[in-house]
Amino acid sequence: METTLRGVGVSHGVAIGEVRHMGTAVLEPPAKQIPAQEAGREQGRARQAVDAVAADLTARGNLAGGEAQAVLEAQAMMAQDPELMADVDRRIAVGSTAERAVYDAFAAYRELLAGAGEYLAGRVADLDDVRNRIVARLLGVPMPGVPDSDHPYVLVARDLAPADTALLDPSLVLGFVTEEGGPTSHSAILARALGVPAVVALPGAVELGEGTVVAVDGSTGEVFVHPREERKAELTAAAAARRAALAASTGPGATADGHKVPLLANVGGPADVPAAVAAGAEGVGLFRTEFLFLDDSENAPSEEKQIAAYRQVLEAFPEGRVVVRVLDAGADKPLAFLTPADEPNPALGVRGLRTLLDHPDVLRTQLSALAKAAEGLPVHLEVMAPMVADRADARAFADACRAAGLRAKFGAMVEIPSAALRARSILQEVEFLSLGTNDLAQYTFAADRQVGAVSRLQDPWQPALLDLVALAAEAARAEGRSCGVCGEAASDPLLACVLTGLGVTSLSMGAASLPYVRATLAKFTLAQCERAAAAARAADSAEEARSAAQAVLSGE
């Protein structure tokens, strides 16, 4: 008998197949004592295992490339964290085995993260994965992970570590479903990059029986258990119709009546450029430069290294628009040479532009590198600051850009509610705005973007969030400036129409989402988008907002 479960759809498409579960978690090592004379040997074993896991994560990142590479390299640095390793050595010195010392040291650090505010608590899943890999290597047992199968399947897990998600084989993994996670978690972002249908935050997902047939709709978040043949046919037909519409949709982004909406790509570095170009991106709406800095958490990359990386991206879009976000360090992207290790709540502390203003030499070098990378190229370079709170922040950033001799437009990201509320004031100092809807939702609703339990408040359809988007867009229109969206909200085709109706002037997203958004925008006029936006803002919940917008655009 068919039953319907509902989670959060985070990656478009339909997957129909049998359930396969992730391997079981690593068992807790026994707590046995070792003689003092064996401590040196056990410390050596621990170091070898840690280094091997870090090397494996780095190698997986190199294979995956793009955003996945940066995420996995960050995990590799987590494995080799000096404080963690010092704690492991101390525990071995007083009698623990290598595996037990690793398990207990990571458990202590896990408690610190879990209690350090919702934002850092989102890193717990990544930490657990690193611990499991090290302990498994020390115990000599296989690392739990994606199941072996000769036949395509739907992968079900409590959560997926980035190392697993990054190297999923789309020819075997039809889609995935997780009980935890949220729409902006690492796994969700990587699923979209892979083009694998995915649903997260689905209550009871891990209780689905092995081999159970399910149909996963990554657009609506619905999972049909034991789907009827009619349901399978309906979903398959809808998926085929979407693929046909995608193939027929080419060219610049625009509504049915010709209102232009440039469709841009989010990239983390040169490795992401080919997919963006292949998907028809009109430029880059968000170049996340922090991934370049994550290569070495102890030192900033040299100006020469930055110039080379930036120029590769700029050269890929001649005559196009490339919007670069300067380093966004802090919170879930700590860098040892920049961010304090003892902040009680890093998400509300010194991060983003605040970090750069405290380290003007790092900002100066990055802006100088961008200026030199753009020399002689016809690209339209725009540079923006993350986590701008007010006009003073915007002025400080614009002054730094001018002092570095940067010939580009200067902009501000709207990720803090105060920036949306005072957008017109900020635009007295900078030339454009870009809405980071992931963080804007997080700070608006006090809901960590990595925690599945509060995922409903991270839903970009929340009317309060749409109100803030409208405020920023209205301010930009009044000042004759542009206001784009570069958060994950832009990757939802229906929401892209609503954002257009709110007055947003460009949309930036992962390359895999570009065809879906282009095809959907082309179906509706600007007036229809505006009516859908008004209906969504008049709703009282995210679900009602989506339904109201859908009703308007479907002519109901």
Side-chain angles (χ1 to χ4, degrees), residues 113-203:
L113 285 185
E118 295 281 357
Y119 206 100
L120 277 183
R123 302 274 66 77
V124 165
D126 292 358
L127 186 71
D128 287 347
D129 180 58
V130 172
R131 176 205 64 203
N132 289 347
R133 291 176 186 280
I134 298 171
V135 171
R137 183 170 289 272
L138 285 166
L139 291 174
V141 300
M143 176 61 209
V146 178
D148 291 327
S149 176
D150 296 329
H151 304 288
Y153 58 89
V154 174
L155 180 62
V156 175
R158 185 168 300 281
D159 202 356
L160 282 172
D164 295 318
T165 315
L167 295 181
L168 290 179
D169 182 352
S171 66
L172 284 176
V173 181
L174 302 171
F176 70 72
V177 178
T178 66
E179 187 158 320
E180 298 178 357
T184 59
S185 64
H186 282 151
S187 291
I189 292 171
L190 295 178
R192 285 189 284 272
L194 287 167
V196 177
V199 172
V200 301
L202 182 79

Side-chain angles (χ1 to χ4, degrees), residues 34 38-40 42-44 46 87-98 101-102:
I34 60 169
E38 293 183 14
E42 290 295 288
Q43 288 169 342
D87 191 17
V88 170
D89 285 342
R90 284 194 297 270
R91 292 173 186 273
I92 292 175
V94 295
S96 284
T97 61
V102 168

Side-chain angles (χ1 to χ4, degrees), residues 421-461:
L421 294 168
R422 301 290 294 172
R424 196 159 184 180
S425 171
I426 287 172
L427 284 167
Q428 305 310 303
E429 305 294 342
V430 294
E431 300 174 83
F432 69 94
L433 301 176
S434 184
L435 287 143
T437 51
N438 304 346
D439 270 319
L440 186 57
Q442 173 172 252
Y443 291 116
T444 298
F445 297 105
D448 188 333
R449 54 190 286 189
Q450 298 291 339
V451 177
V454 293
S455 62
R456 77 172 186 87
L457 295 171
Q458 264 293 327
D459 192 325
W461 281 94

Side-chain angles (χ1 to χ4, degrees), residues 267 284-290 310 313-314 321-327 366-367 370 380-386 397 406 409-411 413 432:
V267 304
V284 172
L286 174 61
F287 181 178
R288 300 182 177 100
T289 60
E290 62 269 15
Y310 301 152
V313 176
L314 296 176
R321 178 187 180 201
V322 176
V323 183
V324 178
R325 180 177 70 190
V326 295
L327 175 62
Q366 184 171 24
L367 294 175
L370 284 166
H380 300 287
L381 175 63
E382 302 184 12
V383 183
M384 61 186 181
F397 178 66
L406 191 62
K409 286 187 175 180
F410 316 143
M413 289 201 69
F432 69 94

Side-chain angles (χ1 to χ4, degrees), residues 11-26:
S11 186
H12 304 296
V14 169
I16 301 174
E18 294 185 357
V19 165
R20 292 287 181 273
H21 286 270
M22 289 286 290
T24 56
V26 173

